């Protein structure tokens, strides 16, 4: 799901001077169990609030993570990043005949034992209805990619959705009823009337959805927690957990304290800025905690709103790229919990990554030369001016983001050194990623924005970089309009030839580093710290770590 996503802040050195010393003791020997564990109850926290429990209407990481517990997708991605069947009985491919050789016909063969949590069977009609919701122009969706290329869906067999495409769409697995498309399968019998009357945007369903996943929503205490209970008729078998409690804790230091006092079992989606403390917690067996870092397709970056006058100047953006020290960010703020990259493809995980691009290593002298040549002269206060305009703009991130606020501070210093004034103007996660014109990103209400984008295993990032996906009907909130990049994106979407797609994405990466609509910083290795009594947690690197929560036990 393309899902964007969260965090950031100054290192807080004084939360605990001695990490082990401020945690309750009693972890005991490995295998003995922790005295604070509540058998059958898994409590985890993230430092991001949720605006909706319906992922069709929300693109935040927390909404996406919760969807893995509540809903079904066509496929999920396992701990190796490979697609595995979820609602379908087998992954549709050309090899098994479920995808035609021209890519224009897709068959989604549904399992026959799936029921919604009110007992109604899940059928092809629900997949077709979900498509209708997504393409409804009144629905506040984050993206229509893939869905807008569907011509029709044949439900002659209630357990086989025969999807007829207008054109081949290569990343169908990750997008159509998939984790990257922000659309879980939705229940027609509960939402059809509201969609027909206008949209599901204001439906009560969005606060207490009935899904087909392993856990059902019992209660959402806004700003506090979401309580889930096991659905015993889950089609893959009754979950091993009895209850899941998702805690909303916008401050990561509070999450850490709650972990140490055993009020929660997991600190999820931690930030690299706190990794030394997390590693210390996990290293002391008395704490009964395990600390890991999960490789991911999630990348931190600085986007520029190309409709704003100052940052619409390519020379300004290029100078800022040279004035940004990736290594300092990764070493001093992320504490090594990241892999540097200058493109939107992971050097470690993506088959589409290329190093043959225009590189912008940290070089403040070159940044000053570019600005000098562009007519920006330094004033008495050290900030540059041009034609009476001050080289000053807003730099925004999420208020809850510990990493983001820390990077902001560093960027302010680095950019100020070359004569650029970046002013902090932050927003809550809900505001930042709200769908539609009211959203800070999708509404274009920003100059430069620092945040993380959660990409998928397929290299397609068309929803954020294609000129055909301008916000708010897409997620290209940079408003980057590069004909060569868009043509390459479209060609890559029209073929299943991986060699051809790789060449196309190389063009996109070259155009991106040439135009600099965004400064990619790095790909995250996300910290997770959790109770050693938790079993079955094998995190996925794709979109959400929680790919198989029905297997968890504690």
């Amino acid at each position: 799901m393309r899902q964007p996503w969260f965090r950031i802040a100054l290192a807080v050195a004084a939360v605990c001077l001695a990490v082990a010393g401020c945690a309750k003791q009693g972890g005991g020997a490995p295998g003995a169990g922790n005295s604070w564990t509540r058998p059958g109850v898994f409590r985890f926290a993230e430092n991001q609030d949720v605006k909706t429990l319906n992922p069709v209407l929300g693109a935040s990481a927390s909404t996406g993570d919760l969807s893995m517990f509540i809903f079904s997708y066509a496929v999920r991605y396992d701990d190796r990043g490979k697609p595995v069947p979820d609602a379908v009985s087998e992954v549709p491919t050309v090899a098994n005949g479920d995808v035609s050789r021209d890519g224009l016909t897709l068959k989604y063969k549904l399992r026959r034992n799936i029921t919604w949590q009110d007992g109604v069977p899940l059928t092809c009609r629900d997949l077709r209805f979900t498509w209708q919701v997504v393409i409804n122009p009144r629905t506040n969706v984050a993206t229509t990619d893939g869905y807008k290329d569907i011509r029709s869906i044949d439900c002659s067999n209630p357990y086989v959705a025969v999807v007829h495409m207008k054109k081949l769409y290569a990343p169908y697995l990750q997008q159509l009823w998939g984790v990257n498309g922000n659309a879980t399968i939705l229940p027609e019998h509960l939402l059809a009337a509201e969609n027909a009357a206008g949209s599901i945007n204001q439906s009560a369903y969005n606060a207490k959805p009935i899904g087909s996943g392993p856990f059902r929503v019992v209660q959402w205490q806004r700003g506090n927690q979401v309580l889930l209970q096991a659905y015993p008729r889950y089609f893959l078998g009754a979950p091993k957990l009895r209850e899941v409690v998702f805690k909303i804790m916008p401050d990561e230091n509070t999450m850490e304290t709650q972990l140490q006092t055993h009020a929660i079992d997991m600190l999820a989606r931690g930030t690299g800025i706190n990794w030394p403390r997390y590693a210390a917690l996990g290293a002391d067996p008395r704490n009964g905690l395990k600390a890991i870092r999960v490789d991911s397709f999630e990348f931190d970056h600085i986007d520029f709103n190309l409709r704003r006058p100052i940052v619409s100047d390519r020379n300004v953006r290029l100078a800022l790229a040279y004035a940004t020290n990736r290594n300092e960010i990764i070493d001093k703020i992320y504490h090594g919990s990241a892999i540097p990259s200058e493109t939107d493809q992971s050097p470690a995980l993506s088959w589409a990554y290329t190093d043959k691009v225009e590189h912008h290593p940290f070089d403040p002298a070159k940044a000053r030369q570019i600005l000098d040549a562009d007519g920006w002269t330094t004033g008495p206060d050290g900030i540059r001016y041009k034609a009476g305009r001050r080289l000053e703009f807003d730099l925004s991130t999420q208020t809850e983001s510990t990493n983001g606020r820390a990077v902001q501070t560093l960027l302010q210093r680095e950019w100020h050194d070359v004569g650029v004034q970046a002013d902090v103007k932050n927003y809550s996660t809900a505001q930042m990623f709200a769908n539609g014109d009211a959203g800070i990103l999708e509404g274009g209400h920003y100059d430069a924005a620092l945040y993380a984008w959660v990409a998928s295993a397929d290299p397609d990032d068309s929803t954020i970089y294609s000129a055909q996906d301008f916000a708010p009907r897409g997620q290209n909130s940079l408003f980057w309009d590069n004909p060569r990049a868009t043509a390459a994106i479209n060609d890559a979407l029209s073929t299943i030839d991986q060699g051809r797609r790789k060449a196309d994405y190389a063009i996109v990466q070259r155009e991106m580093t040439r135009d600099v609509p965004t400064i990619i910083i790095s790909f995250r290795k996300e910290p997770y710290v959790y109770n050693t009594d938790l079993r079955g947690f094998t995190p996925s690197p794709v979109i959400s770590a929680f790919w198989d929560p029905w297997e968890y036990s504690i």
Side-chain angles (χ1 to χ4, degrees):
M1 138 179 115
R2 181 14 168 116
Q3 324 182 62
W5 300 27
F6 68 116
R7 299 178 283 290
I8 309 208
L10 294 171
V12 182
V15 170
C16 288
L17 294 177
V19 176
C22 60
K24 287 185 178 178
Q25 304 305 310
N34 296 316
S35 60
W36 60 84
T37 297
R38 294 175 57 190
V41 179
F42 173 51
R43 304 159 298 170
F44 76 106
E46 296 183 9
N47 68 339
Q48 173 183 156
D49 202 350
V50 290
K51 186 178 181 182
T52 176
L53 297 185
N54 185 347
V56 171
L57 303 175
S60 74
S62 293
T63 299
D65 285 342
L66 283 168
S67 76
M68 307 303 281
F69 292 81
I70 303 167
F71 293 95
S72 298
Y73 289 94
V75 301
R76 296 184 182 223
Y77 288 81
D78 67 14
D79 54 320
R80 297 171 299 163
K82 303 299 182 184
V84 293
D86 190 6
V88 294
S89 58
E90 60 181 323
V91 176
T93 64
V94 172
N96 65 17
D98 289 343
V99 177
S100 63
R101 294 199 174 277
D102 62 7
L104 296 180
T105 304
L106 315 173
K107 288 183 182 179
Y108 285 76
K109 295 183 290 193
L110 297 169
R111 301 177 194 261
R112 292 174 177 262
N113 63 333
I114 306 177
T115 62
W116 293 99
Q117 292 157 357
D118 61 1
V120 175
L122 185 151
T123 69
C124 173
R125 293 178 63 92
D126 297 307
L127 273 70
R128 184 168 62 188
F129 173 70
T130 304
W131 163 55
Q132 292 167 344
V133 168
V134 173
I135 63 171
N136 179 351
R138 296 184 180 181
T139 308
N140 243 351
V141 295
T143 178
T144 60
D145 278 7
Y147 294 97
K148 63 188 177 187
D149 297 322
I150 295 175
R151 185 183 303 281
S152 64
I153 299 177
D154 181 354
C155 288
S156 299
N157 183 330
Y159 294 104
V160 180
V162 182
V163 182
H164 299 287
M165 304 295 292
K166 300 173 186 175
K167 60 182 180 180
L168 186 151
Y169 183 73
Y172 64 93
L173 273 184
Q174 71 171 31
Q175 204 73 14
L176 302 181
W177 308 284
V179 293
N180 197 62
N182 285 26
T184 58
I185 302 172
L186 295 176
E188 180 188 46
H189 68 288
L190 295 176
L191 293 170
E194 288 177 279
N195 189 59
S199 78
I200 66 169
N201 293 342
Q202 304 302 320
S203 174
Y205 177 91
N206 303 327
K208 195 175 181 181
I210 291 174
S212 55
F215 296 88
R216 64 183 185 87
V217 179
V218 175
Q219 185 182 43
W220 175 16
Q221 297 175 6
R222 293 178 185 268
N224 183 23
Q225 67 178 21
V226 179
L227 176 63
L228 309 175
Q229 286 184 350
Y231 177 50
R233 293 181 59 192
Y234 179 54
F235 59 89
L236 292 177
K240 297 175 182 178
L241 292 171
R242 182 176 74 256
E243 186 176 294
V244 174
V245 183
F246 171 73
K247 295 280 190 178
I248 299 163
M249 298 182 184
D251 181 72
E252 192 171 344
N253 297 312
T254 301
M255 290 168 61
E256 183 180 356
T257 299
Q258 294 281 291
L259 186 71
Q260 291 173 277
T261 58
H262 314 307
I264 58 174
D265 298 298
M266 175 184 282
L267 180 156
R269 293 189 180 274
T271 51
I273 193 171
N274 294 323
W275 175 247
R277 298 209 305 268
Y278 299 155
L281 280 172
D284 188 338
R286 295 173 300 172
N287 294 324
L289 296 171
K290 183 174 183 178
I292 63 172
R293 289 187 288 190
V294 178
D295 286 329
S296 76
F297 287 91
E298 182 174 358
F299 59 92
D300 287 285
H301 55 114
I302 307 156
D303 281 355
F304 298 103
N305 182 348
L306 304 188
R307 291 178 173 175
R308 294 295 176 97
I310 291 180
V311 294
S312 65
D313 183 340
R314 186 253 180 184
N315 288 316
V316 169
R317 302 193 304 272
L318 182 61
L320 292 172
Y322 280 111
T324 301
N325 190 340
R326 285 182 184 80
N327 291 335
E328 185 176 16
I329 292 171
I330 293 170
D331 292 344
K332 293 185 178 180
I333 296 178
Y334 299 164
H335 296 288
S337 299
I339 299 170
S341 182
E342 292 186 71
T343 83
D344 63 320
Q345 302 301 323
S346 167
L349 299 174
S350 176
W351 53 260
Y353 172 76
T354 181
D355 189 49
K356 295 180 174 61
V357 297
E358 183 177 311
H359 295 286
H360 308 129
F362 180 57
D363 189 342
K366 190 170 184 66
R368 295 186 191 99
Q369 292 172 1
I370 292 170
L371 293 173
D372 287 342
D374 198 36
W376 293 95
T377 58
T378 305
D381 59 353
I383 303 303
R384 293 174 180 267
Y385 291 79
K386 178 181 179 180
R389 181 187 294 273
R390 182 178 168 88
L391 187 42
E392 181 177 11
F393 55 85
D394 292 335
L395 176 61
S396 304
T397 192
Q398 297 118 286
T399 53
E400 305 97 324
S401 178
T402 309
N403 269 7
R405 298 197 310 271
V407 175
Q408 257 182 335
T409 301
L410 187 148
L411 290 174
Q412 282 183 300
R413 172 176 58 79
E414 291 179 346
W415 292 356
H416 188 277
D417 287 346
V418 299
V420 179
Q421 177 71 38
D423 300 319
V424 170
K425 189 173 184 180
N426 293 340
Y427 303 91
S428 70
T429 297
Q431 289 177 292
M432 194 90 157
F433 299 118
N435 292 352
D437 291 326
I440 300 304
L441 295 176
E442 290 199 9
H445 308 302
Y446 76 100
D447 295 328
L450 169 68
Y451 65 100
W453 177 260
V454 183
S456 193
D458 190 278
D460 172 49
D461 281 334
S462 57
T463 188
I464 51 174
Y465 297 130
S466 170
Q468 295 169 355
D469 282 285
F470 278 0
R473 291 303 293 175
Q475 290 174 289
N476 182 351
S477 54
L478 302 79
F479 307 103
W480 183 41
D481 186 357
N482 181 300
R484 278 180 54 80
T486 297
I489 287 170
N490 288 341
D491 188 68
L493 294 175
S494 69
T495 180
I496 55 176
D497 181 333
Q498 184 165 306
R500 179 172 152 191
R501 297 188 76 207
K502 184 177 176 69
D504 284 328
Y505 290 121
I507 292 172
V508 176
Q509 292 170 80
R510 284 195 294 271
E511 292 301 306
M512 178 183 295
T513 54
R514 186 183 67 82
D515 277 2
V516 203
T518 182
I519 299 173
I520 309 294
I521 298 172
S522 59
F523 281 78
R524 291 186 178 185
K525 301 174 72 172
E526 285 196 307
Y528 287 73
V529 191
Y530 55 92
N531 187 336
T532 51
D533 286 344
L534 179 66
R535 299 289 184 268
F537 178 61
T538 57
S540 170
V542 182
I543 302 293
S544 174
F546 304 105
W547 72 278
D548 60 344
W550 59 91
E551 295 287 1
Y552 301 171
S553 63
I554 192 168

